[in-house]
Amino acid sequence: MTVPRSTLRLQLHKGFTFDDAAALADYFALLGVSHAYVSPITTATAGSTHGYDVVDYTKVDPELGGEDGLRRFVEKLRAVEMGLIVDIVPNHMGVGGSENAWWQDILEWGRHASHARFFDVDWHSPDPALRGKVLAPFLGASYGDELQGGKIRLAYRVDEGRFVIEYYGHVFPVCPVDYPSVFQEAPELALRFTGLTTQPADQPRAADACTALVTIAQTEGGQAAIEAILAAHSPDTPSGRDRLHRLLERQHYRLAWWRTAAAEVNWRSFFDVSTLGGVRVERPEVFAASHALIFRLFTEGLIDGVRVDHVDGLAEPREYCQRLRARLEELSAERPEGLRHGNGRTYCVVEKILARGEPLCRDWQVDGTTGYDFMNDVGALLHDPAGAEPLAALWAEITGKSASFADEALAARRKILAENLSAELDRVTRALHRIARDAQSTRDFTFTSIRRAVAELVVQFPVYRIYPVGGVRSAEDERFFSQALKAARAVLARADHVVLDQVAQWLGGKLPDETPQGEQRNERSERGRDRERDRNQAQAGQNPQPPSSASQRRAAQTLFSQLTSPVAAKAVEDTACYRYGRLISRNEVGADPGEFSLSVDAFHAGNRERIQAYPHAMLCTATHDHKRGEDVRARIAALSEIPDEWAATLRQWSTLNTPLRRGPNGGPSETSDINDWAPGPAAEAMLYQTLVGCWPLTLAPDDEAGVHALAERVAQWQLKALREAKLCTSWFAPDEGYEKECRDFLFDIVAPQRRNGFLQELSDFVGRIGPLGAVNGLQQTLLRLTSPGVPDLYQGTELWDFSLVDPDNRRPVDYELRRRWLGEIEEKGPPSEQMDNWRDGRVKLAVVRRALALRKHCELLFAQGEYLPLDVRGEHGGHVIAYARHAGSAFAIAIATRLAAPLLGAERDVPLVEAERWGDTAIIVPEALHSRVLFDWLSPNVPKADNERLFLRDALGVMPVALLVEEGVPKV
């Protein structure tokens, strides 16, 4: 197996296992994909629906079928000549519950645990209550309340000979050093534990003592002693509660309410999720331990490539990717015959959000991103730029909010930093404050002034993070850092500017006493010495020595970068995108809602850059993380073409449903105060867009069961959207009353009695714009399947994808329906034969099947062929996008209708422009194709270029998209 020709993403969990996927291998192969691409396969938290909460890197998840199930799956894939790409999660592990042995180890032994340096824990917290401890913010209420309520209890594990603290599903070990104090009621049991310390040399003796306790505790006397000990620590009595509390205070963790995490957590989490702990994969021993299974499976030929999750969370993404690449290539020579890579490279892509104009670092040695950048490009291309201003004005008018997304994003950044990630901000500030104290010129910089400077830099940061080389910002880093620096200087008081400038220097600027010669080499060797020293000191049980000044700066840079990326993700994707609703089709992962549209020329430029830098990057338009399905976005994007009609419709619906609004006391409200009713104008406007986007084309207003099922799905989205917006309610402090009022409003407007009112109007409106949405959907499908890169198909989206945010986009897929329809399609011929079935999505399935078949038939043409934008001339040239793929004597031309509203007309009920409407619009084809007959891979059309011109009336006569090739389509 070499670089994938195309991939199909599958979300594995206990309801969809390796065996379930194996049973579909023949369908995937018939569809035309070359590789299955699956969610993480390492053991995750029991019941996980996504696999990103890994608790054991060393085993294939038994809920998925274990390693045996994986082998059966791969056997089926190999039988149909398919490969397997797996998602890996190097950044974080699940640390809730009791399933993570590495995390349990540090809870038990603290900083002397063998895995103490596997997690990113600050063992030197300025809080005396946390020095040498781990904050465990897993309690559902305050510590005092939970202790008083008897929910925190001492328990004994009979099979292990160990005492633990139990709290619902959480288990916290009691350090064996404290067993003598626990055994006051049975001093004879304490002898084996007397004199123990937390030093590594004593930990094996503690394990032996616990093993002996298993036998002793099985005797009659031992059982009585254990029962007495548990009774003495029972929270049901004041004395037991006090004793239990004192025992807890001696542990290497501090139990706390989950709400304390944002302000006090002393270990890096994944964003603000307190059950996911950051892993220090930059340490060689951690890298080796966390990747051993994946490397073995790769060597044995079970997997063929990897997708790296959340690469920006890592301390050193560049070094990680380089190390990963080097190890995979080293192991590739050991793979079974027939599976070795003919091009000498193993497929490796990273999940990375790129801002407009931000390149992926070339020296990472990866094959590209997982495709969010392409999803952003093609999504923006679907929008009519003429709709930007009127729709922004409409949003501002009906909500009273700013018309600019940038304003909403800035406010969200401040909120997230202050309320969700303040502990991480403090940690960066402390790192910089230590540097300041070490120099006479900066020793008077206060913690508070440094914190202000760092906070403003983070708030103003235009990209996820920077990637200094040798501790110094690159020219590319400097481009983005300087933007944040300039914006921060404009906001901060003049008195803070000197601190701000110095902070900027520490965060990767060139210091006066540094010379560029050998700087990167010296930095790396010094870093290696620091790590070796840490290992030696840990083995000797010594406290770490103060790091060098260069190491301190490097550590501060890492902490800063590990703060800017989660702030960007949480503030933009998970907050502002749920607050701003000019058109929510642009509110997507990896997109900037402030960038409303993209020109055809800009789209071409992006494709040409990709083919030059990362020709094998993934191309996606739907993912397990998307906020709304690809065809939901495509239909909502159509509103940009009819802004005036949408404005009138939105106002009409709002007026129609005014009596159903919920007032401050839960009753109907007709108040003009936009803050005095539920759901409120912004949430109501986004709700209407959502209903327009996801309303099935085959759903009738009088189908009570169907409408109710849809409403339940929309209600799930609505609840998440309201909480993510963090305005009237939130995950942190939910307002259940407000949430119920919003849900009631939704179900009232789609109630059966509205079938002749709002429901009929909604259905009629969707019927009118449905063809526009379908044109957009087929356009983005064709572009994904023919652009430079590796097209990725998310599970089930070969039919219309009207899903919403998770968990809706992870619902079970009806593969049997797809398998049956695919068989029927194969019998009927080209996709154009399915135009009568455009509403149920069969035409999309047919396009996917045929385009993937062409990629297989002309593999080198699409894998290595050049990308040639084609000029479109004539009266409707702005309503077409066209380009050619060319290699050797082979050509393939992709043509798609775009912004079709003025050409379809209000009464057109199919997603196809009538041939005569194209008039003189024509594509200028390459000279090699002048006067040649071309065959449409998607229809029976056989258009012929009239010299240099290929008229759209011929090329797009029966389908809104075309994929033209010469007869025979010779392989390159």
Side-chain angles (χ1 to χ4, degrees):
M1 294 291 176
T2 56
V3 171
R5 186 177 65 250
S6 54
T7 60
L8 189 148
R9 168 74 181 203
L10 297 171
Q11 288 298 115
L12 301 175
H13 48 81
K14 67 179 181 181
F16 187 79
T17 66
F18 292 127
D19 287 335
D20 295 316
L24 297 166
D26 61 332
Y27 167 72
F28 301 150
L30 181 60
L31 193 59
V33 295
S34 69
H35 287 68
Y37 155 44
V38 299
S39 55
I41 63 174
T42 43
T43 301
T45 302
S48 176
T49 60
H50 48 77
Y52 291 99
D53 44 357
V54 179
V55 295
D56 188 348
Y57 282 120
T58 68
K59 296 178 182 176
V60 177
D61 198 330
E63 288 193 347
L64 306 182
E67 191 165 324
D68 288 343
L70 172 63
R71 291 180 184 278
R72 290 191 296 271
F73 178 37
V74 173
E75 183 179 2
K76 290 286 189 179
L77 292 177
R78 300 296 187 222
V80 292
E81 299 182 332
M82 287 180 63
L84 179 63
I85 308 296
V86 299
D87 205 337
I88 60 174
V89 192
N91 176 66
H92 55 269
M93 295 185 78
V95 296
S98 61
E99 299 170 87
N100 191 327
W102 293 359
W103 184 255
Q104 290 287 302
D105 182 39
I106 70 167
L107 293 181
E108 184 172 18
W109 294 104
R111 57 186 171 186
H112 293 132
S114 57
H115 296 94
R117 289 173 175 78
F118 277 46
F119 295 93
D120 203 350
V121 180
D122 181 4
W123 295 104
H124 305 283
S125 172
D127 182 353
L130 283 176
R131 286 176 191 162
K133 295 192 175 193
V134 173
L135 184 72
F138 304 121
L139 303 183
S142 70
Y143 170 79
D145 288 345
E146 299 299 75
L147 186 65
Q148 290 279 344
K151 296 173 183 176
I152 303 172
R153 291 182 173 272
L154 181 68
Y156 175 70
R157 293 295 171 89
V158 177
D159 296 337
E160 302 173 17
R162 292 178 178 271
F163 285 90
V164 298
I165 302 297
E166 292 183 344
Y167 176 78
Y168 293 106
H170 295 277
V171 176
F172 306 93
V174 173
C175 183
V177 172
D178 292 311
Y179 281 21
S181 65
V182 173
F183 291 151
Q184 291 180 22
E185 284 69 28
E188 68 281 2
L189 298 181
L191 295 177
R192 293 177 181 271
F193 298 91
T194 302
L196 281 177
T197 70
T198 58
Q199 295 301 320
D202 275 356
Q203 293 177 27
R205 185 160 74 88
D208 292 340
C210 289
T211 300
L213 188 58
V214 172
T215 302
I216 297 171
Q218 290 175 348
T219 66
E220 184 176 347
Q223 291 178 3
I226 297 297
E227 290 174 3
I229 290 168
L230 296 179
H233 291 82
S234 172
D236 299 331
T237 65
S239 61
R241 204 159 43 242
D242 179 65
R243 190 164 167 184
L244 178 58
H245 169 66
R246 284 186 279 114
L247 175 63
L248 285 167
E249 290 292 276
R250 293 194 297 271
Q251 301 313 300
H252 298 106
Y253 50 85
R254 181 169 74 84
L255 296 185
W257 193 5
W258 65 268
R259 289 187 175 180
T260 65
E264 295 188 346
V265 71
N266 63 333
W267 44 273
R268 181 171 60 89
S269 61
F270 173 72
F271 295 170
D272 59 349
V273 183
S274 60
T275 55
L276 296 176
V279 177
R280 298 191 65 187
V281 75
E282 68 273 14
R283 300 184 68 88
E285 68 273 23
V286 181
F287 179 87
S290 59
H291 290 70
L293 173 67
I294 293 298
F295 289 153
R296 177 173 64 80
L297 297 175
F298 173 74
T299 305
E300 293 180 16
L302 293 175
I303 63 177
D304 302 293
V306 295
R307 177 259 199 198
V308 179
D309 178 65
H310 190 53
V311 72
D312 275 341
L314 305 181
E316 298 163 340
R318 175 185 293 104
E319 291 190 8
Y320 169 82
C321 291
Q322 291 173 349
R323 186 184 297 126
L324 179 64
R325 166 67 69 192
R327 186 59 178 148
L328 287 171
E329 297 312 326
E330 180 184 356
L331 294 172
S332 65
E334 303 175 25
R335 285 165 62 82
E337 289 290 340
L339 294 177
R340 296 176 186 174
H341 296 280
N343 58 4
R345 284 177 66 89
T346 302
Y347 194 61
C348 176
V349 290
V350 294
E351 184 200 34
K352 167 76 181 117
I353 303 298
L354 295 168
R356 178 66 63 201
E358 178 190 9
L360 181 65
C361 299
R362 296 291 294 273
D363 59 355
W364 285 13
Q365 299 178 18
V366 297
D367 289 296
T369 73
T370 54
Y372 292 131
D373 46 331
F374 178 81
M375 183 163 72
N376 179 33
D377 286 357
V378 75
L381 182 69
L382 302 182
H383 290 70
D384 188 340
E389 289 190 11
L391 289 172
L394 173 67
W395 174 254
E397 175 193 334
I398 64 176
T399 65
K401 292 173 172 284
S402 170
S404 169
F405 176 75
D407 293 338
E408 202 71 80
L410 190 64
R413 284 175 174 271
R414 295 193 188 283
K415 182 180 181 68
I416 290 298
L417 191 59
E419 298 179 13
N420 296 69
L421 296 169
S422 60
E424 285 78 359
L425 174 60
D426 286 345
R427 194 173 178 186
V428 178
T429 305
R430 283 196 300 273
L432 292 168
H433 194 221
R434 283 192 292 268
I435 297 173
R437 288 292 175 88
D438 286 345
Q440 295 177 4
S441 60
T442 58
R443 63 181 291 177
D444 291 334
F445 286 5
T446 66
F447 178 90
T448 303
S449 64
I450 294 174
R451 193 179 194 273
R452 283 197 299 270
V454 172
E456 201 57 44
L457 277 174
V458 172
V459 164
Q460 302 289 348
F461 220 69
V463 293
Y464 262 50
R465 61 172 289 174
I466 56 174
Y467 310 94
V469 178
V472 178
R473 293 191 295 270
S474 66
E476 200 62 53
D477 288 337
E478 193 61 44
R479 181 160 66 95
F480 297 111
F481 193 95
S482 62
Q483 293 178 34
L485 184 62
K486 180 180 179 180
R489 184 177 285 112
V491 173
L492 290 170
R494 184 176 295 274
D496 284 330
H497 288 187
V498 63
V499 177
L500 176 66
D501 290 340
Q502 184 60 66
V503 165
Q505 287 294 318
W506 287 330
L507 293 176
K510 180 73 170 59
L511 296 180
D513 60 343
E514 294 178 330
T515 57
Q517 295 296 327
E519 185 171 22
Q520 182 174 352
R521 181 177 64 254
N522 292 337
E523 285 274 355
R524 287 181 173 174
S525 61
E526 184 175 359
R527 180 165 45 205
R529 289 194 299 272
D530 288 344
R531 287 174 175 164
E532 182 64 26
R533 182 199 61 212
D534 287 349
R535 282 196 294 271
N536 293 337
Q537 290 169 347
Q539 291 170 0
Q542 300 171 3
N543 290 327
Q545 295 299 310
S548 64
S549 59
S551 293
Q552 284 184 312
R553 289 205 316 275
R554 200 168 53 244
Q557 292 167 13
T558 295
L559 292 171
F560 179 76
S561 292
Q562 289 178 323
L563 175 58
T564 57
S565 54
V567 167
K570 292 300 297 180
V572 177
E573 295 169 21
D574 293 344
T575 304
C577 279
Y578 287 101
R579 294 181 174 186
Y580 181 81
R582 172 169 56 179
L583 271 192
I584 57 177
S585 45
R586 291 297 294 135
N587 298 16
E588 193 50 81
V589 178
D592 175 10
E595 179 190 65
F596 188 74
S597 61
L598 191 72
S599 69
V600 169
D601 287 343
F603 180 81
H604 286 321
N607 270 351
R608 299 189 82 165
E609 289 174 8
R610 187 177 301 107
I611 201 170
Q612 293 171 4
Y614 293 102
H616 306 306
M618 273 189 176
L619 310 176
C620 73
T621 48
T623 78
H624 61 287
D625 278 335
H626 67 231
K627 298 189 182 303
R628 45 198 59 83
E630 59 185 33
D631 296 303
V632 175
R633 297 195 307 272
R635 188 188 293 168
I636 296 174
L639 301 178
S640 68
E641 303 178 55
I642 51 169
D644 293 339
E645 181 182 350
W646 172 241
T649 300
L650 183 60
R651 293 189 179 98
Q652 179 183 344
W653 288 353
S654 184
T655 300
L656 180 65
N657 292 323
T658 292
L660 303 177
R661 293 172 178 172
R662 266 44 188 183
N665 298 316
S669 172
E670 298 185 17
T671 176
S672 60
D673 186 345
I674 64 173
N675 298 310
D676 199 27
W677 53 275
E684 183 185 24
M686 287 192 278
L687 173 61
Y688 292 142
Q689 288 186 48
T690 299
L691 288 170
V692 166
C694 71
W695 185 272
L697 291 164
T698 55
L699 179 61
D702 58 356
D703 180 352
E704 292 187 22
V707 171
H708 183 80
L710 177 65
E712 289 288 356
R713 290 175 48 218
V714 173
Q716 279 190 311
W717 162 83
Q718 182 186 55
L719 177 62
K720 182 166 185 172
L722 294 171
R723 289 187 175 181
E724 294 286 13
K726 305 172 186 67
L727 293 171
C728 300
T729 186
S730 68
W731 299 107
F732 191 79
D735 183 339
E736 295 180 357
Y738 169 74
E739 292 170 357
K740 182 179 183 302
E741 290 172 353
C742 292
R743 178 183 171 88
D744 289 345
F745 177 80
L746 164 62
F747 278 89
D748 275 355
I749 66 174
V750 298
Q753 57 267 37
R754 317 290 172 198
R755 66 171 61 92
N756 296 320
F758 172 70
L759 279 178
Q760 187 64 56
E761 292 195 14
L762 172 61
S763 178
D764 290 346
F765 184 81
V766 170
R768 290 198 302 277
I769 70 164
L772 287 176
V775 168
N776 282 344
L778 293 175
Q779 176 191 354
Q780 72 176 350
T781 297
L782 182 67
L783 298 186
R784 170 167 50 88
L785 296 173
T786 57
S787 288
V790 177
D792 174 51
L793 181 70
Y794 182 65
Q795 59 181 27
T797 59
E798 55 268 42
L799 295 181
W800 296 132
D801 175 22
F802 294 129
S803 64
L804 300 171
V805 74
D806 68 280
D808 194 61
N809 63 3
R810 302 175 189 179
R811 287 177 297 147
V813 176
D814 187 348
Y815 283 111
E816 289 309 310
L817 174 66
R818 287 160 174 78
R819 190 198 299 270
R820 186 175 72 252
W821 280 359
L822 187 57
E824 295 173 359
I825 287 169
E826 288 295 294
E827 294 177 0
K828 286 190 175 182
S832 58
E833 296 297 316
Q834 299 298 325
M835 283 297 288
D836 289 341
N837 299 316
W838 73 270
R839 288 181 174 81
D840 62 22
R842 272 180 276 186
V843 65
K844 181 183 179 185
L845 174 61
V847 169
V848 170
R849 168 70 183 101
R850 291 290 290 221
L852 289 178
L854 182 61
R855 288 189 72 101
K856 183 177 181 180
H857 190 56
C858 304
E859 187 165 355
L860 293 182
L861 171 64
F862 288 95
Q864 300 177 13
E866 63 180 322
Y867 180 87
L868 304 173
L870 299 181
D871 188 20
V872 184
R873 299 176 185 173
E875 58 181 312
H876 298 307
H879 298 282
V880 179
I881 179 171
Y883 53 83
R885 303 300 307 276
H886 170 235
S889 62
F891 282 89
I893 296 178
I895 308 171
T897 308
R898 63 184 301 266
L899 306 182
L903 298 181
L904 285 182
E907 303 304 320
R908 188 71 163 157
D909 64 352
V910 293
L912 178 65
V913 176
E914 294 178 336
E916 60 271 18
R917 293 294 301 273
W918 287 111
D920 65 347
T921 310
I923 296 168
I924 307 303
V925 300
E927 185 176 356
L929 297 179
H930 287 186
S931 301
R932 292 202 188 179
V933 174
L934 299 173
F935 294 81
D936 186 5
W937 201 255
L938 308 180
S939 77
N941 264 6
V942 187
K944 181 179 179 180
D946 182 4
N947 290 320
E948 66 174 10
R949 292 177 183 267
L950 177 67
F951 288 99
L952 271 298
R953 59 176 178 259
D954 298 326
L956 297 179
V958 294
M959 283 282 287
V961 294
L963 184 52
L964 307 181
V965 295
E966 291 188 88
E967 185 178 16
V969 199
K971 293 185 179 180
V972 181

